[in-house]
Amino acid sequence: MGSLDESTAGRAASDGLMPEEPRQGGYGPVAKGEPSQHPYHHPAAAWGAATSVMKVLIREKELLAGSKAMFSMNHPIKGFDCPGCAWPDDNKGLKLDICENGIKHVTWEMTHKRVDREFFAAHTVSELADWTDFDLENQGRLTEPMVYDPETDHYVPITWQEAFALVGDELRGLDSPDEATYYTSGRLSNEATFLYQLMARELGTNNLPDCSNMCHEASGRALKASIGTGKGTADLEDWETCDALFILGVNAASNAPRMLTALSEAVKRGAEVVHINPLIEAGATRTIVPHDIVDMATFKTRPTSTLNLQVRPGGDLALIRAMAKATLEAAEQDPSVLDAGFLESLTEGFDEYRELLARTSWAELALQAGLSEADLRKAADIYLKSERSIISWCLGVTQHEHGVDTAREIVNLLLLKGNIGREGTGPSPVRGHSNVQGNRTCGIDHRPSDEFLDRLAEVCGITPPRHHGLDTVRTIQGMLDGTVKVFVGMGGNFVLAAPDTARTAEGLRQCELTVQVSTKLNRSHLVHGRKALILPCLGRTERDQQATGLQGVTVEDAMSMVHLSIGRKQPASTHLLSEPAIIAGMARAALPDSATPWEWYVEDYDRIRDVMAKALPGFEGFNELIQQPLGFRIPQPARERVFLTPSGRAEFSLAPLPDVIPEAEDMLVLQTMRSHDQWNTTIYSNDDRYRGVKNLRELVFLNEEDMRARGIEEGSLVDIVATSKDGSERSVRQYRALRYDLPRGSAAGYMPEMNVLIGLADYSTQSDQPLMKNVKVRVAPSA
Ligand SMILES: Nc1nc2c(c(=O)[nH]1)N[C@H]1C(S)=C(S)[C@@H](COP(=O)(O)OP(=O)(O)OC[C@H]3O[C@@H](n4cnc5c(=O)[nH]c(N)nc54)[C@H](O)[C@@H]3O)O[C@H]1N2
Ligand SMILES: Nc1nc2c(c(=O)[nH]1)N[C@H]1C(S)=C(S)[C@@H](COP(=O)(O)OP(=O)(O)OC[C@H]3O[C@@H](n4cnc5c(=O)[nH]c(N)nc54)[C@H](O)[C@@H]3O)O[C@H]1N2
Ligand SMILES: [Mo]
């Protein structure tokens, strides 16, 4: 579309949560230049990425430290784990397995800027509420604990001891431990995680909502039901040896850039790579391998796909089922396409599944997938011909009503050809936060199993509650109906990450106490309870010095590898505490007579690991295992074809084919996704390089024909009205409509700005995940 006309005011309807002045940059920086969109012709990664990194390094004045950081990031034993994403490290040879967005992410934490007591003295909370979210985070690192003073509307300094006492008093004053809720964002280390869940359970609650409730809950539930453990089975070596890769609902170039290397190497060795996504994302065609200096110097691009299929939003189950149907049809001619021995001895429900598919017509499947039968058969042919297939997915699959059924259908398809527990095969969900998988492994679970609690009780000498706790959506409901009075956020930015921003804010404001353990200032500090604390912690890059010396922590990547992460940088302030120390401080204050040796644990994290080794299956010998250069793999029985399901076999699921076509003809299915230049609620700029967008976040990508049908001009302003499951409506006004290559009937825009459109009722009944990729909207030109 080129440059747009004079920028007109764009406002979201989330009262008091965004600055009032007109802007088009959403929660990003105040827009400076004119918004524009130009097609992006360059390969993913490449020099554009290098330039973008340099800009960030220069802005943060961290050129030297930033470049030094790149060399210790993801290095075995002596480095820290990149907090950018959960993609596993490739530690073979001397390759530097780093990426543009990982570097941006790390530098953002390492900034020289500080938010100190003078900063808070200079600005009231009401004043800060008018700043953009970018400006809030861009103030730099938090330096000391602060408490909200309602008299002056300022955050004022408080000592750590007083802060802990405040938390302790409040928690001890509750009528029931279930009146408090303990949120985790997925970067918390395993050690801190273990202490955090122990604190909650010793206090008497399983209220442990986490970002996973909005992210991969569906994958966990599906895999648990199908194969007995809630994790993928493929690892990086499998990715290197498979001959077909199916990637569903992942924007690799932006959100898992190190995956690009695996994709290009797969294509290079002749493997098939099929991308299934309503959008053809940048990383789904070509890349310059991010760390291949020769490729970068010579601009040598490498293909990253052999087939792209633009599925209808939510149509993945139909597509996968079509592939399974074609496989079963082929087996009628040539039974050897199926792994009969595997199906016979290690699976349950195959006959019923075959019957279900025989009853499902190609026409229904094609309609629901939004693809022609010919296209569906193309994908099926690749699967049929391949000896070793991996199917990988991310939010494009999980944040839908039928996320669990779809992930289970993926397993169904894999089972047909024994594509599990064999080299080069398996389900492979791409997790988000760098330790979100480890959080679950180490006990962040609002629905813990009895076995887990039994062992915790025995090893830690506590009596954990047995009733299930609150997840993210139910936490918000609880705050709103007054049953939740204390909110503790271990990282993250709850108010912006959660659905229904306005209602979430209302809930937080109704709390008696909100506690945010954070590295940087964000919106969740400004939308607070009657009492409020900001507790600043060490970041992952920083030295964590305790009584017995320098401490390291561990994280688990998306492929179940657990390894050590040791920060080396001088902490941003001498007043920061580590996350384990903050948890121990709160726990002691809330549980003065606790027999748990909180302080002793913090002196030496080996002690936490020793108790984890006893409490968590697969962690036996934890302290020794992490001394291995690449860490260790948590045993994943399904990888060995041991299926811990009720039947002791891998279980086929028999979900009915969902109807994913909106009930009203003028309704579009809107997905809320990330731009290239953001990390969840952290927005680095208003650009989205690979989608060719500059200076604009308040936008909606639409299909050309959908625009024409609604009289919407390219680059013009539109209003978007969402209809919730409960019939209520939410809207954003004056967003820019941009033409994009996506299927008719679908639309796309950015989180977290568009979270205001997602009602609290809009969560999946299968996974309880908010429907962040499935918002039913009507779009019309602004008045
Ligand atoms: N740089 C950077 N890296 C990140 C993050 C970040 O914000 N920035 N976030 C991290 C986190 S927490 C996570 S969970 C991951 C998220 O990684 P992604 O899942 O890649 O995240 P999104 O940006 O939401 O993109 C969703 C993708 O799914 C596609 N999609 C939408 N609906 C459908 C559908 O119905 N079917 C299919 N097949 N595809 C669909 C979209 O077009 C898009 O390509 O990334 C992690 N890594
Ligand atoms: N509409 C819509 N909404 C979504 C999504 C979507 O696709 N669409 N995606 C969902 C997903 S997948 C996720 S994972 C959630 C993310 O939700 P969250 O995890 O809650 O959000 P983040 O933006 O990752 O959190 C950023 C904040 O974490 C703090 N932080 C950074 N590093 C550290 C650290 O080392 N320790 C501590 N204690 N704090 C730290 C900083 O203060 C920073 O402001 O959002 C969800 N929300
Ligand atoms: Mo996530």
Side-chain angles (χ1 to χ4, degrees), residues 254-324:
S254 298
N255 297 330
R258 287 181 295 141
M259 184 200 277
L260 295 177
T261 313
L263 298 182
S264 77
E265 282 173 5
V267 176
K268 194 168 146 195
R269 67 165 189 274
E272 299 275 359
V273 179
V274 181
H275 291 267
I276 295 162
N277 197 316
L279 274 53
I280 298 180
E281 300 282 22
T285 48
R286 304 192 72 76
T287 186
I288 290 186
V289 174
H291 54 233
D292 192 321
I293 302 296
V294 177
D295 276 9
M296 285 188 75
T298 54
F299 292 91
K300 180 166 180 280
T301 67
R302 300 199 199 164
T304 49
S305 72
T306 49
L307 179 65
N308 266 286
L309 291 177
Q310 289 182 274
V311 69
R312 178 199 295 286
D316 300 81
L317 194 157
L319 180 148
I320 297 287
R321 186 161 289 182
M323 290 167 68

Side-chain angles (χ1 to χ4, degrees), residues 222 226 316-318 320-322 324 349 352-360 364-365 368 401-410 412 651-659 766:
S226 291
D316 300 81
L317 194 157
I320 297 287
R321 186 161 289 182
E352 292 84 347
Y353 184 65
R354 182 167 36 195
E355 282 159 28
L356 172 72
L357 267 57
R359 288 197 305 270
T360 316
E364 281 174 90
L365 292 170
Q368 292 300 329
E401 182 69 54
H402 309 282
V404 176
D405 284 346
T406 307
R408 292 201 67 180
E409 196 71 16
I410 288 173
N412 289 345
E651 297 193 6
F652 276 93
S653 62
L654 303 169
L657 183 69
D659 182 359
Q766 306 187 339

Side-chain angles (χ1 to χ4, degrees), residues 109 137 142 183-188 211-212 214-215 395 399 433 490-494 496-498 517-522 525 537-540 579 672-674 679-682 751-752 754-755 758 772-773:
E109 174 177 305
E137 283 217 21
L142 297 159
Y183 177 68
T184 320
S185 161
R187 69 180 72 217
L188 199 65
C211 70
S212 192
M214 304 181 265
C215 188
L395 302 182
Q399 292 180 330
H433 267 296
M490 260 331 239
N493 187 355
F494 192 78
L496 289 196
V517 179
S518 322
T519 50
K520 290 198 143 190
L521 187 62
N522 66 39
H525 303 128
C537 64
L538 292 172
R540 200 177 280 175
E579 285 161 326
T672 59
M673 59 187 185
R674 290 143 182 81
W679 215 94
N680 293 344
T681 67
T682 300
M751 64 87 70
M754 283 184 160
N755 291 32
I758 308 170
M772 291 162 163
K773 297 283 183 280

Side-chain angles (χ1 to χ4, degrees), residues 379-432:
D381 274 344
I382 292 176
Y383 182 70
L384 270 167
K385 289 199 185 101
S386 109
E387 281 291 309
R388 294 182 295 272
S389 291
I390 286 178
I391 307 185
S392 180
W393 69 93
C394 198
L395 302 182
V397 165
T398 59
Q399 292 180 330
H400 279 286
E401 182 69 54
H402 309 282
V404 176
D405 284 346
T406 307
R408 292 201 67 180
E409 196 71 16
I410 288 173
V411 177
N412 289 345
L413 176 62
L414 289 170
L415 294 179
L416 294 179
K417 284 168 60 69
N419 275 315
I420 189 165
R422 182 159 71 76
E423 187 183 45
T425 68
S428 192
V430 185
R431 304 275 165 169

Side-chain angles (χ1 to χ4, degrees), residues 321-331 362 376-377 380-381 384:
R321 186 161 289 182
M323 290 167 68
K325 185 174 172 69
T327 304
L328 291 169
E329 284 176 3
W362 277 99
L376 294 173
R377 286 193 184 274
D381 274 344
L384 270 167

